[in-house]
Amino acid sequence: NADHQAQTFTVLRHPIEQAFSLFHYRKRARWERSYRADLRKVHFREYISSPSYVDNWLTRQLTNSVPGEELTEGHFNLAKLILNTKIFVGLQDEMDETLRLLAAHFGWEEVDTGCVDMVTHEKFNSMPHPVINGGRQGPIWRIASMVEKWDIRLYNEALDQFERQREQYPASHPAPVKVKSMTKMSFTEESLNPEFSADDLPPVPNEVMQTIFFPERIVTSSQLKDDYLSK
């Protein structure tokens, strides 16, 4: 409402790099609910070209579009509007600057010494993986660019937005007022909403239930939900 205008923040990564990293992580992270041993059998090109692959995740999230729904310029314009007006953007490639901008915008201040450095420079729950063959000029990247075209456009908008934020909060911006440290709080799905359950998510439409790219397997609604949530 007029007195409480909500705003959130996010930290974005290039959509293709995100997809490639997730592909390698999910086929090795046995402790994750979204672990997919079957991904060991395919190359990234097959994975991202599969009909069961959930493309343009950010655009779909911001426009409430289900997997399998065809995206249009209208979806992109709506997603861009929401990104520009409701979301403060950070970049994974610029974590130091992201944390500085977040502190300036939201009035945060580090209370536990070393917390910011830990968040920005230490890697948690990550795995090393190879680079995409051919790099950004190679055929695999070009295929992925067509699949993720809406999210790539949205990411480019986010890059521009990040620069506007940098201009709004230059390095000489006054230090923020000290506020309650978020590091003192522990958030879980249950503590935020005791009634939350993954089963409460909307059902996946039948039209997106497709035979996966391994002939012997069928995608279940649970797998599609895990695929969608894991991003």
Side-chain angles (χ1 to χ4, degrees):
N1 58 41
D3 296 324
H4 300 87
Q5 299 203 12
Q7 187 177 49
T8 186
F9 71 91
T10 188
V11 178
L12 298 178
R13 187 179 186 182
H14 192 286
I16 296 177
E17 293 175 350
Q18 170 72 18
F20 189 68
S21 176
L22 183 63
F23 166 70
H24 284 282
Y25 181 79
R26 294 185 60 203
K27 64 182 180 180
R28 297 171 60 189
R30 296 176 181 272
W31 55 90
E32 296 282 8
R33 179 182 175 185
S34 59
Y35 169 65
R36 290 275 300 277
D38 49 13
L39 293 181
R40 294 172 178 267
K41 304 176 182 178
V42 297
H43 296 291
F44 179 66
R45 183 203 298 260
E46 298 171 294
Y47 167 74
I48 203 168
S49 301
S50 165
S52 64
Y53 175 75
V54 180
D55 58 43
N56 300 287
W57 182 86
L58 182 59
T59 303
R60 293 185 184 281
Q61 284 286 292
L62 293 179
T63 60
N64 197 30
S65 303
V66 299
E69 179 179 351
E70 183 178 358
L71 298 177
T72 66
E73 195 73 25
H75 290 93
F76 169 73
N77 289 333
L78 176 58
K80 181 174 71 171
L81 176 66
I82 295 172
L83 187 73
N84 289 335
T85 58
K86 292 293 185 182
I87 303 175
F88 196 85
V89 171
L91 300 176
Q92 188 183 53
D93 288 342
E94 296 203 43
M95 284 302 298
D96 286 311
E97 183 70 348
T98 290
L99 267 292
R100 185 189 72 79
L101 293 173
L102 286 171
H105 183 73
F106 289 102
W108 296 343
E109 182 177 287
E110 184 177 37
V111 175
D112 295 335
T113 303
C115 178
V116 171
D117 183 71
M118 178 183 67
V119 170
T120 54
H121 299 122
E122 294 186 22
K123 294 185 177 181
F124 298 93
N125 213 24
S126 64
M127 292 182 179
H129 57 73
V131 298
I132 297 178
N133 289 336
R136 296 196 172 201
Q137 303 302 320
I140 297 177
W141 188 278
R142 289 197 295 271
I143 291 172
S145 295
M146 291 186 288
V147 173
E148 296 285 359
K149 65 178 182 179
W150 300 110
D151 268 11
I152 290 174
R153 288 180 61 184
L154 200 58
Y155 181 75
N156 288 333
E157 290 289 335
L159 294 179
D160 292 339
Q161 185 171 329
F162 188 80
E163 289 304 316
R164 293 194 296 270
Q165 293 167 181
R166 203 198 302 261
E167 294 173 1
Q168 182 181 1
Y169 300 106
S172 59
H173 190 272
V177 177
K178 187 173 183 178
V179 296
K180 183 176 181 181
S181 171
M182 291 189 68
T183 61
K184 299 293 185 182
M185 306 173 71
S186 176
F187 295 111
T188 64
E189 288 177 349
E190 290 75 18
S191 65
L192 288 172
N193 182 358
E195 303 299 324
F196 177 85
S197 167
D199 294 331
D200 295 331
L201 293 170
V204 179
N206 289 333
E207 58 267 22
V208 303
M209 303 296 290
Q210 305 176 46
T211 302
I212 202 169
F213 44 101
F214 310 113
E216 71 276 12
R217 295 195 55 207
I218 300 296
V219 178
T220 66
S221 59
S222 176
Q223 286 172 321
L224 273 175
K225 189 178 292 183
D226 285 350
D227 285 353
Y228 207 48
L229 288 175
S230 67
K231 292 200 175 189

